[in-house]
Every structure is written in C-alpha cells, then in structure tokens.
Amino acid sequence: MATENGCKVKHRSHHSSMNSNQLEVPVHTQSPSLEMLLRRLRASDAQQDDNFANILDVVGEFGTFQRRLVALTFVPNILLAVFMFADIFMFAAQKPYCNTSWILAVEPNLSEAQQLNLTLPREPNGSFQTCLMYLPVTWDLDSIIHFGLNYTQSCQDGWIYPEAKKRSLVNEFDLVCGKDQNTEGVQTMLTAGLLIGSLIFGFVSDKLGRYPTILMSLLGLTVFGFGTAFVNTFRQYLFFRFGVSQALVCYAISSVCLATEWLIGQHRAHAIILEHCFFSVGFMFLNGLAYSLSHWRLLFLLGGAPVFPLISYIWIIPESPRWLLMKWKVEEAKQMLCYAAGVNKKIIPLSLLDKLQPPGKKVIKASVLDFYNNKYLLRVTLVMGCVWFTVGYSYFMLILKLKDLGINIHFTRVIPSIVEVPARLCCIFLLEQIGRKWSLIVTTFQGSLMCLLVLILPSGPRLKWPRCLATDLKSMMIILVVLGEFSLAASVSLFFIYTAELLPTVLRATGLGLVSLAWATGAISSLAVSYQKFIILPIFLCCISATLSLSLCSMLPETQDQALPDNLEHYFLQTRNVAEDMFTEEVVSSEGC
C-alpha cells in the first residue's frame, strides 16, 4: 500500500504560508549569518509537524475514511443527549394522596371519591391534604359516616396518584411528602459524576489512547444508561446516573480528541460542529419520546436501544496516529495511516512515510503536573477554565429562569434544542470570518449579556405588574432565554474546537478534562446562587465571570490555520521564537545605529 508509484505529495497552502510567516525576520540591515541560523533552527523545529501534515495531505483531507469517522460519532452523541437530560422528564409533578385502602376491608364497594372523602382531612380551601390521613378505626361504615374521623397521622401505607397520567419516578418510588428533596440528589450525583469523570477519563485517554477510552465510554452508556430501566430502588437510580455521567464526559472528551487528531484545517472544526449538532438532535429525540411514552422505564429502554449497534465500534473505530506517534508506536501509526489511505484509494510514498519519526530520542513523558510547571499550559487551562465556567453558569441560569416562568416542560426544552442546530451551524461562518478566538469571545459575550438581562428583569413571585405588561414581559424573557441558549450552544462547540487546538496531543484529553471541571463548577454555582435571598448575587457573579473570561481569552493566540501541537516542546519553541525575534530586532536596531 505504501509504495511510491509516482505519487506526488501536495503540501497544504495554509501550512506553507504559516511556515513562511514563522520564518520571517525583520529585513532592514540584518546579518545574513544570524538570519540563516534562525531559519535553520525553526525549520528543524517544524520538520516533524510538516512530515505528519504532508502525510495527511496524501491520505486525503476529507476522504471516505474521514467521512466515515465523523459519521460514527452521530449515534453516540444522540445517546449522550438522551442519557444526560432524561432527568428533566423523570419528575413530572404528581398530586399524591395517602393510601387508605384499609377502609375497603369495611366496605369493598366504595368508590375512589367516597374513600378519599371519608379517610382524608381537608385543607382550608376544601382540597384533600396530601401528606396526612385519618387514623384507621375498627368501626363499621355507618359509624364512620355518622361520627366521622378526627385523629390524623402521616401516611403509613404509601400513596396513590389518582390524577397521574404517566408513570414517573415520583409515583414509582413515592418521592413526595418530605422525600421530594431526594430529587435534588439526582442533579448532585450527575454533576459529581461529570466532575470525577473529567478528572479520571481525560488522564486515561492520554495514557491508554483514544480507541480504548471510547470503547470504555460506550460500555458505560450500555451498562449505566440502558441499564437504568431495570433499577429497583431510588438509590440504585442515583448510582446509575452517577455512572452514566462519567461515561458521557469520557466519550465527549475522547471523540473530540480523535476528530482533532485525524482531521486537518476547516474539516476539523466542521466535524466537531456536526458532532454537536447531533447532540441537539438527540435532545429533540428525547423530547419526542418523553411526550409519547407513558412510563419512565420505556424512555430508557427505547432511548437507549441504539447503544447495542455500537458494539461494532470495536472493529471500525481507529486509533489516533498522532497519539501513537507520541507513544513511540511508529509502526502502528504507519499502519493506521496506510489503512486510511487505502480506504481513500490513495498511496503514501515510502520516502515520505519513512520520514515519520517520533519527536526526541525517548518516549515523551507528560503528567498533570505539567499544567502547573509549564507556564503556557497553565495560562491556557486557567483562561479556558474561566470561559467554561461562564458558559456553564450562564446556560444553567437560563434553564432555571425558564423553569420559573411556569411554561410547559416540553415547550421549554424543544424550542431551545431546535434553535441549537442553526446556532452551531452559524459557527462555520464565524470561524471563516474572524477565527477561533474571536468567535468564542463574541458568542460568549452575547450569551452572558442575555443571561444578565434575564437576571435583571423581574420574574416569578416578584412580578406584580398589570396583566398585559406581565404577559409582554414574560414573552420578552422567553425570547432572551432562547437567544442566550442560541449563543451559548455556539460557544460550546467553539470552546471544544479552540481548546483542543491549543493543547498538545500528549495532554489534550487531560486538559479538556481539567477545564470541564470549570463547567460543572459553573453549573453548581448557578444552582447555589439561585436559592439565595440576595437578588444581586447572581447578577454580580454573571458580570464578574463574563468580564474576567472575555478579557483573559483575548490574550490567547489564534489557532486557525496553525500547526497542531503534539508535545510540550512546541510551547518552549514558541517562546524561544518570540525571544529570538526580539533579539534580532535589537541587533538590527544596533547595526542601524
């Protein structure tokens, strides 16, 4: 497969232009020997990167192999949305009443209305109390009707839900009358799983590779996602939600790394955007299932059924050749590239393939400590962490505000999910016009601004305006929330593209996992401040986080049309190149004098 056969290597135009820009030095009266030395140093530094880029050019920028790789991400991303947001539909409001079937032993022919009327105390407004019942007695029915029951107690034999139209977790596990606080534990367990999964599986992906980590995540989706339909207790449900959340973040990180390292140029960004579009499609799919199905277990059974065809990924998902090269698995990397070339009906010249060598003279060792020791990595992690915190905080705050408006749950979720698809597709236009960095800044700024406006406008119990003005204000808030989610959905896709290109191959997944901690922290912060009495606190946090993240993000470099970094030496060389330019300018100015 990897034979010459007269095949020509086509160099990418953007790489050649980038390298020429990198090699430029001030003209003026510069010393030829100094200029030649700088050019040789930089050419040596970029040689490895150019060889890999040239091979990918020969393999095909976006051939059959790459298109198939992108298509393989569609179904898992649909499942990610189903398993991540299923809890929204698990706790439909149910009105419970104490189970007072004891009176049926006295008179089996009582109707449900008669049973409730005789055994349940009433509220001052005439409705039945939901958490109290009359103490059972051994009287006959006539005595109960004539004298009535007076002594009350809490429900002893569970609850009934006569008005319930669907089977949810609330009436499955009786999450009412004090037990309803357990529903908050679901969000806590989901967030905890995201936090732990971000720490563990980012590191695992960089250690073991993209291929085994993706398989582990798919196994987790099968066991903890589809398996949720068979839990017998609410504690088991919490445990399974904790497990599936780790699988979610594991796949999200590993799939982005795999697409980033296989694709080049604009195809890399388009693949990640398309991948996230199918995440939004999965949310719409979940909405349709939740609306049509009457049992929560069926939602997990039918929604999780597509996980079984993913078993075939064992044989069709490829490993990242960049990662293999960084681990000194040169022959495996060459075999993977030759296989991709064969699928695309291309041939890699042997002369070019032989130039593919691992950087350095030994296996590259990188660890989490490098995010502290390496100043550039530390700066990237802190800045992108601030951005991710702002996006997570603003997104969840918008969701909470929309929930406070009292709108139908299916409407509040299906409209934003529909809007998210064009929002992510608009990223393609933004990336072509203003690049990665400024696209992320613009979308994050717009999303934070919408969140700020929603927080400033009065809503909920505080809304004491005339009816017509209240209706108009409610409509305005819905529009602001939708616009905010439109911008923040675009920010999420841009964030993954930009961050993956900023981080080196040896620590790309670990870095994505670390900054994902900030997103979970933002989500937790939104939940915490929303329950505070100080109305100014959510507004203050929104302003501070947005201002800090946007100002810091503007200090990072642009990555569009730049070589993808593979190791930590890349950042040292970048710093050295800047120092060399400054030194050259000083030499030129001194010679000019």
Side-chain angles (χ1 to χ4, degrees), residues 80-317:
L80 293 192
V82 171
F83 291 138
M84 184 171 184
F85 296 109
D87 293 326
I88 297 175
F89 307 100
M90 293 294 104
F91 300 96
Q94 307 281 355
K95 194 168 185 180
Y97 299 107
C98 293
N99 180 13
T100 56
S101 56
W102 63 268
I103 200 172
L104 296 179
V106 179
E107 177 53 58
N109 296 324
L110 286 175
S111 66
E112 187 177 75
Q114 291 174 325
Q115 177 184 340
L116 296 178
N117 188 49
L118 290 173
T119 57
L120 295 181
R122 292 181 179 270
E123 299 283 358
N125 60 5
S127 62
F128 291 115
Q129 293 189 19
T130 57
C131 299
L132 291 176
M133 58 179 284
Y134 285 122
L135 190 68
V137 295
T138 55
W139 304 347
D140 57 31
L141 182 62
D142 291 335
S143 300
I144 293 175
I145 296 175
H146 181 73
F147 296 105
L149 302 177
N150 297 316
Y151 298 102
T152 60
Q153 64 178 7
S154 59
C155 302
Q156 300 298 314
D157 300 316
W159 289 262
I160 59 174
Y161 306 85
E163 301 173 8
K165 297 180 180 179
K166 292 188 176 185
R167 188 72 168 172
S168 70
L169 288 176
V170 174
N171 50 25
E172 178 87 10
F173 300 117
D174 290 333
L175 303 178
V176 293
C177 297
K179 296 182 180 180
D180 50 354
Q181 295 180 352
N182 293 335
T183 59
E184 299 176 3
V186 176
Q187 192 64 42
T188 302
M189 294 299 290
L190 191 67
T191 307
L194 292 174
L195 286 169
I196 296 175
S198 299
L199 282 174
I200 295 177
F201 291 105
F203 175 77
V204 170
S205 181
D206 283 331
K207 279 292 183 182
L208 302 181
R210 317 313 184 203
Y211 169 77
T213 315
I214 287 177
L215 293 184
M216 280 192 289
S217 66
L218 297 180
L219 177 63
L221 292 178
T222 305
V223 174
F224 296 106
F226 184 81
T228 306
F230 304 98
V231 299
N232 295 319
T233 65
F234 187 65
R235 290 182 181 273
Q236 290 179 6
Y237 181 84
L238 292 177
F239 174 74
F240 273 67
R241 297 305 290 163
F242 176 75
V244 79
S245 61
Q246 295 185 61
L248 294 175
V249 72
C250 176
Y251 180 82
I253 291 173
S254 300
S255 63
V256 167
C257 290
L258 189 64
T260 300
E261 292 160 9
W262 262 111
L263 302 174
I264 55 179
Q266 61 180 357
H267 302 295
R268 180 189 303 142
H270 294 174
I272 295 176
I273 290 170
L274 192 60
E275 183 179 339
H276 289 175
C277 284
F278 273 84
F279 182 85
S280 301
V281 171
F283 200 19
M284 288 186 277
F285 173 64
L286 173 65
N287 268 283
L289 283 179
Y291 184 78
S292 57
L293 298 178
S294 59
H295 203 296
W296 69 272
R297 294 185 188 271
L298 291 176
L299 186 62
F300 281 102
L301 286 173
L302 296 181
V307 77
F308 291 104
L310 302 185
I311 297 174
S312 61
Y313 281 32
I314 298 174
W315 299 279
I316 57 180
I317 280 284

Side-chain angles (χ1 to χ4, degrees), residues 388-394 396-397 516-529 541:
W388 211 209
F389 175 89
T390 302
V391 173
Y393 174 81
S394 301
F396 276 89
M397 188 59 72
S516 296
L517 296 176
W519 180 83
T521 305
I524 294 172
S525 299
S526 65
L527 293 171
V529 301
L541 188 56

Side-chain angles (χ1 to χ4, degrees), residues 14 29 46 56 89 172 196 202 288 325 335 343 380 399 403 441 456 480 504 534-535 545 548 574:
H14 65 263
T29 58
L56 288 181
F89 307 100
E172 178 87 10
I196 296 175
L325 200 61
Q335 290 175 8
V343 174
V380 169
I399 291 177
K403 185 179 178 181
I441 290 175
I456 292 174
L480 291 175
F534 303 102
I535 303 176
S545 62
L548 184 62
Q574 273 192 340

